[in-house]
C-alpha cells in the first residue's frame, strides 16, 4: 500500500499538491472561548486542529508549584480519541503526552516575561481535536496565540514548524503520511530571529542532511510568525473598533 | 520524600563566575568529556559497569523467549527499563516518575529503540508464535550529571557484549519445537546490533544572565576569546556550551541539548528543550561535535570488548567450540 503513494512526485508536487517549501493552509482564531478562559485560540494547520485555553496568571493551585521569583506554567494536553483515523483513548500518563507537556512548559516558561508574576501560575490546556502530523508544532503555535490573547507579556512569538528530508529533498510542514515516511524535525524559533527555542529530531538522519532541514524549518517558522502576527493585529483592530477590551 | 538539590547561592556565583572566565571547576576544557571507564562482568554476558567521571551506571541485558505482538509477528521485543531509585540521588523517588526521569527515559528510548540499534527482526524464532524478548535494565548507582549519556553508553555496550543461547527448531508445521541449548553445550550467539548510538549532552549557559547573577562582582560582559578547538562561534560568545556537565553544572545550566550520534555520521535523535533559546549555528556545531565524541566512545567500547573477549577466550577454545561451519 505504501509503495503506491507518491510522497514527492518528479514534478515537485506532494500528496496534497504543495511544493516542497509551502506550509499547509494556516487558519487561526483568537479569543474563541471568552467566558471559560482568560485567553484562547484555535489553530488549524492543514487537517491538524488544536484548541488552546489559557487561565492566568492566577493563584497557584498547588503550594509545591510556587516559585518565589517568577511565574510557573502548567501544561495539560488532551488528545481526543476521535482525533486519529482509529478511535483510541490515550491515557493521561502516556509518556509521549507527558513529554510534550514538559517540552511546552519549558518553552513558554522562558518565552513569557516570567519575573512580572512571582508566585503565580498560568494554566495552559490543549485539546488536540484532529491529528494530521505536526502536533507539537500546532500546540506551540496555539499556546503562543492563547497567551497573547490572555494578555500575558511575552518577549516575542514562539513559532514552530516541521521539516523532513526524503532522500535528498527537503519538505516543509509534513502531514501524517509524510511524517511516517521520512526523518523529520520539529523546530520552534523565537519570532523572526535565528534563536531556536525547541528542536526535536526522532528518526535517524545523515549529519550532512541536517543543515538544510534546519534551514527550511527556520524559514517555515518565520513564515508562520508572519501569519500569526497578521491575525493578531487583525483581531486587535476589530476589538478596538468594537470598543470591547 | 524527595530532597531538593538546589545549590547554594555561593556555589552558584562561584561556578558561573568561573565560566565567564572560561574555567570549569574540574579544569576540563569546555568540550572535554570526563574520564570514561567501561568494564564488563567476567561471569555474565551483557552486564556492563560504566563510570563517567563520578556518575556510575550498570546495565544488564537479558533475553527470554516469548510470544510476539499480534500486529508485528516478525519482530522480537526489546524493552529498556530505566527506573531511577533514590540510590542515585535523593531527588529521585522510588516508584514515582519525576520530570527528569521522564526526560532521561524518553531520550534513551529514542536513542536506542527508535533508532533501531537492535535488529528486532533477527529476534524472531517462529513468526507469530515465538520470539526473543531482549530486556535492558539500567540501574543508576551514582548521579553526578550525565545520566543519559552514561546509560546510553551502558546499554549500547551491553547489547554488543551480550550473548543469547543458541536455538534449534525441530519438527515441521504446527508441531515445531524450539530447543534452547545451554551455554555449556553450544557457544552462545551475539545479538544483531546495527549501529552503536552514543548520547552526548550539551549544557548551555547564558553569560549575560550569569553576569546578572553575580552582580556586584567585577566581571566581564562577554566571554574571553574562544580557543580554536572549542565548540563556539566567534561572533556569538554570549552563550557558553559545556559538554558532559557534572551534577553541579547541570543544576545551574540555563538550557541543554542532547544529541545521539553514531560512527556512521548519523544523528539518531536530537532533543533540545525549551529552556534557553540558542542560535541555530551553535546547535549545528554541537551536533558535529557529538559525532566526534561518538567515534571516540565507540572506539573505547570496542577496545574493552576485545580485552574482555581475550580474557574469556583463553587459548582460543571458543573458536573450536563453535557449531557453525566456516563459509
Amino acid at each position: 500500500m505504501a509503495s503506491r503513494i507518491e510522497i514527492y512526485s518528479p514534478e515537485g508536487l506532494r500528496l496534497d499538491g504543495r511544493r516542497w517549501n509551502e506550509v499547509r493552509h494556516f487558519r487561526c482564531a483568537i479569543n474563541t472561548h471568552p467566558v471559560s478562559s482568560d485567553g484562547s485560540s484555535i489553530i488549524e494547520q492543514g487537517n491538524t486542529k488544536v484548541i488552546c485555553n489559557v487561565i492566568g496568571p492566577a493563584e497557584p493551585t498547588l503550594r509545591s508549584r510556587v516559585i518565589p521569583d517568577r511565574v510557573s506554567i502548567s501544561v495539560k494536553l488532551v488528545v481526543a480519541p476521535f482525533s486519529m483515523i482509529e478511535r483510541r483513548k490515550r491515557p493521561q500518563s502516556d509518556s509521549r503526552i507527558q513529554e510534550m507537556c514538559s517540552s511546552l512548559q519549558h518553552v513558554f516558561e522562558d518565552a513569557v516575561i516570567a519575573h512580572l508574576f512571582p508566585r503565580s501560575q498560568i494554566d495552559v490546556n490543549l485539546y488536540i481535536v484532529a491529528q494530521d502530523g505536526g502536533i507539537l508544532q500546532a500546540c506551540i503555535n496555539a499556546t503562543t496565540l492563547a497567551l497573547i490573547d490572555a494578555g500575558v507579556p511575552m518577549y516575542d512569538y514562539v513559532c514552530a514548524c516541521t521539516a523532513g528530508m526524503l532522500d535528498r529533498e527537503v519538505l516543509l510542514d509534513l502531514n501524517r503520511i509524510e511524517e511516517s515516511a521520512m526523518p523529520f524535525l520539529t523546530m520552534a524559533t523565537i519570532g523572526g530571529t535565528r534563536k531556536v527555542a525547541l528542536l526535536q529530531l526522532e528518526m535517524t538522519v545523515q549529519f550532512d542532511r541536517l543543515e538544510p532541514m534546519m534551514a527550511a524549518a527556520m524559514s517555515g517558522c518565520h513564515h508562520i510568525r508572519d501569519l500569526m502576527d497578521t491575525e493578531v493585529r487583525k483581531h486587535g483592530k476589530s476589538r478596538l473598533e468594537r470598543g470591547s477590551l | 520524600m524527595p530532597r531538593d538539590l538546589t545549590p547554594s547561592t555561593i556555589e552558584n556565583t562561584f561556578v558561573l563566575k568561573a565560566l565567564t572566565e572560561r574555567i570549569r571547576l574540574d579544569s576540563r576544557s569546555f568540550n572535554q568529556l570526563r574520564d570514561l571507564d567501561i568494564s564488563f562482568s567476567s561471569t555474565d554476558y551483557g552486564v556492563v559497569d560504566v563510570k563517567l567521571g563520578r556518575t556510575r551506571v550498570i546495565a544488564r541485558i537479558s533475553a527470554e523467549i516469548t510470544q510476539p505482538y499480534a500486529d508485528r509477528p516478525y519482530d522480537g521485543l526489546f524493552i529498556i527499563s530505566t527506573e531511577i531509585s533514590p540510590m542515585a540521588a535523593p531527588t529521585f523517588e522510588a516508584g514515582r516518575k519525576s520530570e527528569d526521569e521522564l526526560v532521561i527515559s524518553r531520550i534513551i528510548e529514542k536513542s536506542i529503540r527508535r533508532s533501531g540499534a537492535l535488529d528486532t527482526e533477527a529476534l524472531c524464532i517462529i513468526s507469530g508464535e515465538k520470539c526473543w524478548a531482549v530486556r535492558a535494565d539500567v540501574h543508576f548507582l551514582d548521579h553526578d550529571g550525565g545520566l543519559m549519556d552514561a546509560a546510553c553508553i551502558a546499554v549500547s555496550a551491553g547489547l554488543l557484549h551480550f550473548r543469547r543461547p543458541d536455538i534449534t527448531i525441530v519438527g515441521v508445521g504446527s508441531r515445531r519445537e524450539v530447543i534452547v541449548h545451554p551455554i555449556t553445550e553450544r557457544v552462545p550467539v551475539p545479538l544483531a546490533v546495527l549501529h552503536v548510538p552514543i548520547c552526548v549532552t550539551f549544557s548551555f549557559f547564558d553569560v549575560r544572565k550569569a553576569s546578572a547573577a553575580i552582580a556586584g562582582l567585577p566581571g566581564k560582559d562577554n566571554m574571553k576569546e574562544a580557543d580554536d578547538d572549542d565548540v563556539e562561534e566567534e561572533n556569538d560568545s554570549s552563550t557558553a556550551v559545556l559538554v558532559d556537565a557534572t551534577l553541579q553544572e547541570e543544576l545551574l545550566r540555563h538550557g541543554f541539548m542532547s544529541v545521539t550520534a553514531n560512527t556512521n555520521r548519523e544523528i539518531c535523535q536530537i532533543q533540545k528543550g525549551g529552556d534557553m533559546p540558542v542560535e541555530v549555528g551553535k546547535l549545528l556545531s554541537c551536533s558535529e561535535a557529538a559525532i566526534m565524541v561518538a567515534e571516540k566512545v565507540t572506539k573505547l567500547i570496542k577496545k574493552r570488548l576485545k580485552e574482555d573477549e581475550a580474557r574469556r577466550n583463553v587459548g582460543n577454545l571458543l573458536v573450536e567450540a563453535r557449531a557453525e561451519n566456516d563459509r
Side-chain angles (χ1 to χ4, degrees):
Chain A
M1 180 193 74
S3 54
R4 274 190 266 141
I5 298 176
E6 202 178 35
I7 306 261
Y8 191 60
S9 76
E11 297 88 38
L13 294 174
R14 290 149 78 169
L15 288 167
D16 44 11
R18 284 185 288 152
R19 298 256 165 219
W20 69 272
N21 59 351
E22 288 172 359
V23 301
R24 290 175 290 179
H25 184 55
F26 187 88
R27 265 179 57 188
C28 54
I30 306 178
N31 200 232
T32 50
H33 298 73
V35 176
S36 63
S37 53
D38 293 324
S40 50
S41 67
I42 298 184
I43 276 215
E44 291 180 30
Q45 288 190 252
N47 289 328
T48 300
K49 297 184 194 5
V50 174
I51 302 176
C52 181
N53 280 0
V54 163
I55 300 169
E59 178 94 26
T61 45
L62 284 171
R63 259 303 147 97
S64 56
R65 286 267 181 84
V66 173
I67 306 176
D69 58 346
R70 35 174 302 162
V71 74
S72 85
I73 299 189
S74 113
V75 178
K76 284 210 181 61
L77 179 69
V78 174
V79 180
F82 49 81
S83 59
M84 290 277 281
I85 291 179
E86 278 175 19
R87 189 186 178 89
R88 190 157 49 130
K89 201 155 183 215
R90 293 255 218 122
Q92 219 19 46
S93 56
D94 184 38
S95 60
R96 289 210 69 171
I97 293 183
Q98 282 195 324
E99 189 198 8
M100 276 174 65
C101 290
S102 159
S103 304
L104 287 162
Q105 181 192 328
H106 285 296
V107 166
F108 287 101
E109 268 185 359
D110 203 77
V112 156
I113 305 184
H115 61 86
L116 290 179
F117 305 103
R119 291 180 294 274
S120 310
Q121 180 175 307
I122 297 178
D123 285 316
V124 177
N125 296 317
L126 287 150
Y127 301 91
I128 299 180
V129 175
Q131 287 188 55
D132 189 27
I135 315 167
L136 183 58
Q137 62 154 336
C139 287
I140 293 177
N141 295 332
T143 310
T144 303
L145 288 174
L147 284 171
I148 292 173
D149 183 43
V152 176
M154 288 172 70
Y155 291 106
D156 203 340
Y157 292 91
V158 182
C159 330
C161 195
T162 54
M165 173 80 79
L166 185 67
D167 289 336
R168 290 182 191 280
E169 305 286 343
V170 179
L171 297 181
L172 192 60
D173 197 7
L174 309 176
N175 60 30
R176 193 175 43 86
I177 300 176
E178 291 168 336
E179 267 182 10
S180 56
M182 67 185 87
F184 71 98
L185 52 78
T186 305
M187 179 190 280
T189 59
I190 303 290
T193 67
R194 286 168 55 93
K195 295 242 171 191
V196 172
L198 177 132
L199 179 63
Q200 204 170 322
L201 169 76
E202 287 185 5
M203 272 175 76
T204 307
V205 76
Q206 272 290 322
F207 171 71
D208 306 313
R209 316 245 169 111
L210 196 61
E211 191 172 350
M213 279 165 78
M214 286 171 75
M218 176 151 279
S219 67
C221 291
H222 294 171
H223 181 62
I224 288 186
R225 182 236 172 244
D226 294 335
L227 291 170
M228 291 207 290
D229 190 43
T230 314
E231 180 62 35
V232 167
R233 287 182 194 279
K234 196 170 82 179
H235 176 79
K237 197 156 152 239
S238 74
R239 284 184 80 169
L240 267 178
E241 283 165 4
R242 272 207 316 259
S244 70
L245 225 109
Chain B
M1 215 203 61
R3 280 182 161 279
D4 211 5
L5 283 181
T6 327
S8 61
T9 314
I10 293 181
E11 271 185 284
N12 274 9
T13 49
F14 187 57
V15 171
L16 293 174
K17 172 102 173 69
L19 279 180
T20 56
E21 294 177 15
R22 297 197 72 78
I23 300 173
R24 275 173 102 163
L25 288 199
D26 49 4
S27 58
R28 282 186 285 156
S29 78
F30 276 24
N31 55 355
Q32 190 183 344
L33 234 67
R34 287 174 286 181
D35 288 330
L36 177 59
D37 184 37
I38 305 171
S39 58
F40 298 97
S41 156
S42 50
T43 45
D44 289 324
Y45 279 114
V47 180
V48 194
D49 184 347
V50 171
K51 291 195 197 62
L52 183 62
R54 291 197 309 190
T55 298
R56 193 160 169 208
V57 163
I58 287 188
R60 185 189 190 86
I61 316 284
S62 54
E64 61 169 13
I65 299 187
T66 180
Q67 221 183 11
Y69 290 136
D71 55 343
R72 309 185 72 141
Y74 297 104
D75 279 334
L77 272 56
F78 180 31
I79 302 160
I80 307 180
S81 149
T82 52
E83 278 177 23
I84 309 185
S85 70
M87 175 166 49
T91 182
F92 298 112
E93 256 187 2
R96 200 160 73 96
K97 268 201 165 181
S98 67
E99 197 196 303
D100 290 331
E101 209 179 310
L102 178 72
V103 170
I104 291 173
S105 71
R106 283 292 302 168
I107 289 184
I108 293 176
E109 271 279 313
K110 285 191 261 189
S111 302
I112 302 182
R113 236 163 63 98
R114 279 202 68 168
S115 70
L118 183 63
D119 185 10
T120 46
E121 275 190 20
L123 298 176
C124 178
I125 303 172
I126 300 174
S127 75
E129 284 174 36
K130 291 205 197 309
C131 69
W132 285 106
V134 174
R135 197 192 157 85
D137 284 296
V138 186
H139 301 281
F140 298 87
L141 301 184
D142 226 339
H143 180 25
D144 191 31
L147 285 181
M148 276 183 287
D149 304 357
C152 197
I153 295 173
V155 177
S156 298
L159 288 174
L160 286 169
H161 187 244
F162 180 65
R163 302 279 183 270
R164 62 164 176 80
D166 197 5
I167 52 166
T168 344
I169 305 175
V170 290
V172 285
S174 56
R175 292 181 333 151
R176 277 179 293 189
E177 268 183 14
V178 178
I179 301 182
V180 180
H181 301 277
I183 53 174
T184 46
E185 228 177 74
R186 290 245 195 125
V187 173
V189 170
L191 295 173
V193 179
L194 297 173
H195 65 97
V196 185
I198 303 291
C199 183
V200 186
T201 305
F202 298 89
S203 306
F204 303 117
F205 288 84
D206 185 344
V207 179
R208 277 186 288 257
K209 241 200 249 180
S211 303
I214 55 181
L217 293 167
K220 302 182 203 299
D221 281 319
N222 272 339
M223 306 280 297
K224 284 195 339 199
E225 285 304 305
D227 297 333
D228 283 321
D229 54 0
D230 277 353
V231 181
E232 290 233 355
E233 280 188 84
E234 295 88 79
N235 46 6
D236 183 20
S237 46
S238 64
T239 308
V241 185
L242 261 54
V243 175
D244 188 26
T246 59
L247 179 60
Q248 197 177 39
E249 292 165 341
E250 246 184 45
L251 291 169
L252 295 173
R253 66 186 174 195
H254 300 135
F256 80 97
M257 170 164 98
S258 94
V259 180
T260 305
N262 61 29
T263 49
N264 303 332
R265 276 188 78 86
E266 285 173 344
I267 305 282
C268 304
Q269 69 92 28
I270 298 179
Q271 174 79 11
K272 187 212 167 292
D275 284 342
M276 179 182 132
V278 176
E279 208 265 328
V280 69
K282 197 150 275 195
L283 297 181
L284 263 174
S285 47
C286 286
S287 311
E288 188 151 26
I291 292 181
M292 294 193 285
V293 170
E295 278 170 9
K296 258 198 299 207
V297 173
T298 309
K299 220 162 87 177
L300 178 66
I301 294 178
K302 297 246 160 90
K303 184 166 140 212
R304 293 273 181 261
L305 278 169
K306 246 207 190 109
E307 287 168 8
D308 179 74
E309 177 78 26
R311 256 201 315 266
R312 285 171 186 270
N313 198 8
V314 180
N316 228 6
L317 288 173
L318 274 180
V319 177
E320 306 284 326
R322 262 183 13 195
E324 293 166 354
N325 295 326
D326 286 334
R327 285 168 201 260

